[in-house]
Amino acid sequence: MKATALKLALAAGLMTGVATSAVAQQKNVTIAVSIPAATHGWTGGVVYHAQETAKQLEKGYPGLKVIVKTSPDGAAQANALDDLMAQKVDALVVLPFNSDELTNPAREVKKRGTFITVVDRGLKDPSIQDIYVAGNNPEFGRVAGKYFVDNLKQGNVVVFRGIPTVIDEERVSNFEKALEGSGVKVIDKQYANWNRDDAFKVMQDFLSKHPKIDAVWASDDDMALGVMEAIRQAKREDIKFVLGGAGMKDMIKKVMDGDKMIPADVSYPPSMISTAMGVTAAHFYTNAPMRGTYVLNAQLITKDNAKEHYFPESPF
Amino acid sequence: MTETVLRTGAEKRKFKIDMRALSPFIALVVLAIAGALINPDFLTASNILNVVTRSAFIAIIAVGATFVIAGGGLDLSVGSMAALTAGVMILTLNSLGGADASTLAIGMLVAIGLSAACGLGNGLIVTFGRIEPFIVTLGTMGIFRSLVVWLAAGGTITMRNFELRELYRPVYFGSVFGIPVPIIAFLVVAAIGALILYRTSFGRHVVALGSNEDVARYSGVPIWRVRTLTYIIQGICVGIAVLVYVPRLGSATPTTGLLWELQAITAVVIGGTALRGGVGRIWGTVVGAVILELVANIMVLSNFVSEFLVGAVQGAIIIIAMLVQRSVHRGR
């Protein structure tokens, strides 16, 4: 039950050779964590990892208090920031609902001298943040594309897009860039809204339309599950594998168990909140420099490293 | 001579009614021809069966919506209600655990019971609270949706027992005499719906209520009871749709049933039911649901519509289909 990202962050603190809590005298630090409420699978994972990490950090650093607060929308999150500031906090870790709405509230918090860590979605004004921890969407597409080039070598691929957003565009355009010059060809693309039902329908239609599909880039684990069901119904044998993304536990389990259709997955870990919290805590308890930008790699998850990405207790 | 006049009169009237009711079917045929021209794969049996099977959820829900709308009401909560019902049904199946038919039966009863209760809630608030159904069901839409998010802790509610899932799977993927079970389910639901709406006094009361509430009240129609019953019927239809939905993917997520309410209402209107109430066409509704799914299917099968423009072309096709229908009315 250990968040890998957290371990890495703690290790980073330790490796600098600076003594952690053991030497430091009893110090009272309060870290507030403001995240979106669990409105879909990924944010559900964020909430879970934030709560787990809060417990672990409080155990590891004596005198540390971590307050985790979830909000159902951007406006509520801005209010939540006000409420958190009313209690005296030393640092704020925030995964903003959206950049525009939360830039000013975060700036107000900063003015009080609070240490700010921003996660995943950047604020409009980067000078507000002391630490920025982000996932890597272009890399997410690149890693997936490289997997197709390395493992399929040549053939026809259908692509599932999410919801029309910058995230989706970065992923898909870099996926296609990674395929350039290889024998792998994208024969069709459709939006399926990161939704299982929509992916099921689109895949049924792809199967009617294309007599030969060699592999599927579902680009998301929820969509991959819908795709799998459609393939199973059509009893088609031509599809060699389906590649999802994000690291949902059901899919990681399939990778671990060596499922032929799901040989790999690409991570976009909700546990990045743990990394952010770990680095923030280390800022107060070590003398190592922590300020800066941390871009987490989109990792290829295969049978060999699936265990590190498997959190059976997480809702995601 | 009198006989002849009478006969033609009756014939003429009958013919006119048929044309109005037929127009959604004509739109369907036109779309099917268009689909076949765009991509020959469209007409394969497997594609047609896929599309009609997929339209089953919306068709079943829309049969219920036909009652609510014909009675002058509106229900925006059906998508969230479906998600909540699916979530609770799966949780029930998971906690019962056994992989036998009795477990399934209990799960199904829970689903129908819950959705009927949700419908009853909507109906009672609308009638006794005297609040606009738009507001009431907008409220319950939010309530049902957050309840399912809460139950799932933001993640996914999945059927855990693999054997039970295999046992239940044929309810979506199986077929009887070559006809997929969901298609049979929605034909049966539509037949029962048509029977109730056209052949019972309750059905007459619904239409009377929708065309003029005051007149209906003075004519002795039990307004509150009839109105509440339409919402209960809507609830039960949602429950039946869920029974067919759950075996497909074996899971419910916070995005399950998103925007189904709009699709159901669109199907009802395409089918010829007036949004202001007073007219109800069950079979038209069913065809409307199939048309919606057909348009989406043609979009994916076509090679010349960019994925960015699918929504726009889809919207245009629906509007054109409605215009074709209208011109058919006027022509007669």
Side-chain angles (χ1 to χ4, degrees), chain A residues 191-222:
Chain A
Y191 286 105
N193 308 318
W194 287 315
N195 177 310
R196 240 177 245 210
D197 290 310
D198 293 352
F200 175 83
K201 290 185 195 179
V202 171
M203 190 63 202
Q204 276 195 332
D205 294 347
F206 278 164
L207 289 168
S208 304
K209 185 176 172 186
H210 303 293
K212 186 151 174 12
I213 299 170
D214 293 296
V216 179
W217 187 42
S219 83
D220 173 79
D221 289 337
D222 259 313

Side-chain angles (χ1 to χ4, degrees), chain B residues 157-241:
Chain B
I157 305 175
T158 306
M159 277 175 78
R160 284 214 205 88
N161 190 327
F162 184 73
E163 287 157 41
L164 187 63
R165 174 136 164 57
E166 288 305 301
L167 182 73
Y168 195 7
R169 207 171 175 272
V171 174
Y172 185 84
F173 292 101
S175 53
V176 179
F177 302 119
I179 305 168
V181 177
I183 298 183
I184 296 173
F186 87 61
L187 288 178
V188 169
V189 169
I192 295 173
L195 199 70
I196 295 175
L197 191 59
Y198 304 139
R199 297 270 181 267
T200 65
S201 56
F202 167 74
R204 292 283 123 209
H205 287 167
V206 169
V207 175
L209 179 62
S211 48
N212 192 326
E213 190 177 333
D214 290 332
V215 173
R217 182 178 293 119
Y218 298 140
S219 319
V221 172
I223 304 264
W224 290 10
R225 201 176 69 207
V226 170
R227 180 156 288 162
T228 307
L229 271 173
T230 61
Y231 287 96
I232 296 177
I233 289 175
Q234 172 72 88
I236 292 171
C237 284
V238 169
I240 296 170

